[in-house]
Amino acid sequence: MEFRQLSYFIAIAETGSISAASRRVHVAQPALTRQLRLLEEDLETRLLERHARGVRLTVAGQALYEEAVALLDRRTQIKARLSALGSGMTGKLSLGVTVTHLWMPEVAGLMHRYRQRYPQVGFEVFPLLSGPQLERLREGTLDAGILYLDSAEQHGLETRQLQNDHLILAVPSSSRWAGSPPQRLHELEQADFIWGFRSVSPVYYDRVMAHFQRLDFHPRIVQFGADNTAILSMVAAGLGVAIVPAASACLPMPGIRFLEIEELARCDMPLWLAWRTGNDSPALGNLVTLAGEAFTPKKTGPTV
């Protein structure tokens, strides 16, 4: 029993005539009659009874008609679903984004375009620092991540550079620095700094500290925050100053002033899209393509 034979049989059942069915399915009447006979032989039962004005279904024929209609409908649904999955139109996709970059226009635009273009994909976004993103990418519990990396070569991962961020200074709006911005980092030697823990973003932490070592700058760290959101909330509360990615300024926060310092602008902070090697999900492939359209790698300050 073939799907083609079932399609022919449905046409005969619905038109009540082999000649009418022949015209509907564009198959010669003798060929249609032969396929019907082969179907009856395969099922070992009569499906039709002929009469003067055409044919009518036997009890077995009526049962087959109902099952055949449901079967062909299900076949169409399966083909459509598999086609949608294969093209990335449906499915599921999980994306990690560093907390700092959730509000970045390019990242927000990427997420918006993905949702508009692929509304049937279950799109999940997780605010995660770079360290946890790397762990989850390698474990396979995260499809893609937007994060800081020290290079394109990452064990078990494929990468694409999105753009270069840099560093800026965040100070309380009420501080003396807000009214008289420092020009050099050495002016901040005695300032109280709020810092992040290395364990949550080793690549970011090490890159910043290496830059400061080259400048012979040694910030006096008196407070720690779990992530940039916590750090900036502490700055807004007047607990100290902080050095953060320039993307932090995409979401202006009450009580904070962001200041550009040329020595900080010289520290490139490359932002990457990463995904696990061998992940051939079409939904992921569509995200990678859109990311290439949304971001143009560019420098926001002189390279270190």
Side-chain angles (χ1 to χ4, degrees):
M1 182 170 58
E2 302 174 0
F3 283 114
R4 179 186 54 169
Q5 291 174 329
L6 291 178
S7 298
Y8 295 164
F9 174 71
I10 288 173
I12 295 170
E14 290 180 347
T15 62
S17 163
I18 292 179
S19 59
S22 172
R23 292 190 294 272
R24 176 192 282 192
V25 297
H26 306 290
V27 173
Q29 189 169 330
L32 194 60
T33 301
R34 181 165 57 85
Q35 289 299 323
L36 176 61
R37 185 173 64 253
L38 291 173
L39 181 59
E40 289 181 321
E41 290 174 358
D42 185 32
L43 297 175
E44 299 180 349
T45 187
R46 289 181 61 194
L47 301 173
L48 299 173
E49 292 180 349
R50 288 170 172 77
H51 56 83
R53 290 178 294 179
V55 296
R56 61 173 173 266
L57 298 175
T58 63
V59 173
Q62 181 62 39
L64 178 62
Y65 170 73
E66 294 170 1
E67 293 289 345
V69 169
L71 182 60
L72 291 183
D73 283 348
R74 180 61 179 151
R75 177 183 182 235
T76 300
Q77 292 169 1
I78 292 173
K79 287 178 66 177
R81 180 168 179 255
L82 294 179
S83 175
L85 283 170
S87 63
M89 298 301 295
T90 62
K92 185 178 178 181
L93 180 71
S94 55
L95 173 68
V97 183
T98 57
V99 177
T100 298
H101 293 92
L102 278 172
W103 305 102
M104 191 174 178
E106 291 87 347
V107 173
L110 171 62
M111 294 190 292
H112 178 71
R113 281 190 293 276
Y114 192 88
R115 167 56 62 205
Q116 279 194 319
R117 195 170 298 185
Y118 307 106
Q120 300 304 312
V121 174
F123 189 35
E124 301 175 326
V125 179
F126 298 92
L128 294 167
L129 294 171
S130 298
Q133 280 195 58
L134 279 174
E135 292 176 10
R136 291 190 56 178
L137 285 168
R138 290 182 171 129
E139 290 170 355
T141 57
L142 193 67
D143 290 313
I146 293 177
L147 69 168
Y148 290 116
L149 296 173
D150 52 1
S151 72
E153 301 300 322
Q154 298 293 321
H155 175 68
L157 299 178
E158 300 290 330
T159 60
R160 172 176 290 182
Q161 186 173 350
L162 300 179
Q163 62 179 214
N164 282 321
D165 201 354
H166 66 280
L167 300 175
I168 56 175
L169 179 68
V171 302
S173 297
S174 58
S175 72
R176 65 186 181 91
W177 304 115
S180 180
Q183 302 301 307
R184 301 289 302 276
L185 286 177
H186 75 82
E187 298 176 47
L188 301 168
E189 291 281 1
Q190 299 306 311
D192 291 340
F193 274 87
I194 304 166
W195 219 252
F197 298 103
R198 182 184 184 278
S199 58
V200 297
S201 191
V203 171
Y204 173 84
Y205 184 98
D206 290 347
R207 193 172 183 86
V208 172
M209 296 308 291
H211 182 63
F212 290 165
Q213 186 174 7
R214 285 189 291 270
L215 295 173
D216 195 27
F217 174 61
H218 308 282
R220 187 178 71 179
I221 301 169
V222 299
Q223 307 273 351
F224 284 89
D227 56 31
N228 275 344
T229 301
I231 290 170
L232 290 173
S233 69
M234 296 166 76
V235 173
L239 303 185
V241 302
I243 290 173
V244 294
S248 303
C250 292
L251 181 65
M253 299 181 67
I256 294 179
R257 185 170 176 193
F258 293 103
L259 304 175
E260 293 276 358
I261 298 179
E262 193 271 337
E263 289 171 325
L264 292 180
R266 293 210 310 263
C267 184
D268 268 352
M269 304 300 297
L271 188 66
W272 298 78
L273 177 69
W275 62 96
R276 187 165 54 89
T277 301
N279 187 343
D280 58 357
S281 161
L284 170 61
N286 290 334
L287 177 72
V288 173
T289 298
L290 278 182
E293 299 171 0
F295 288 85
T296 301
K298 59 186 178 183
K299 297 184 184 299
T300 52
T303 306
V304 223

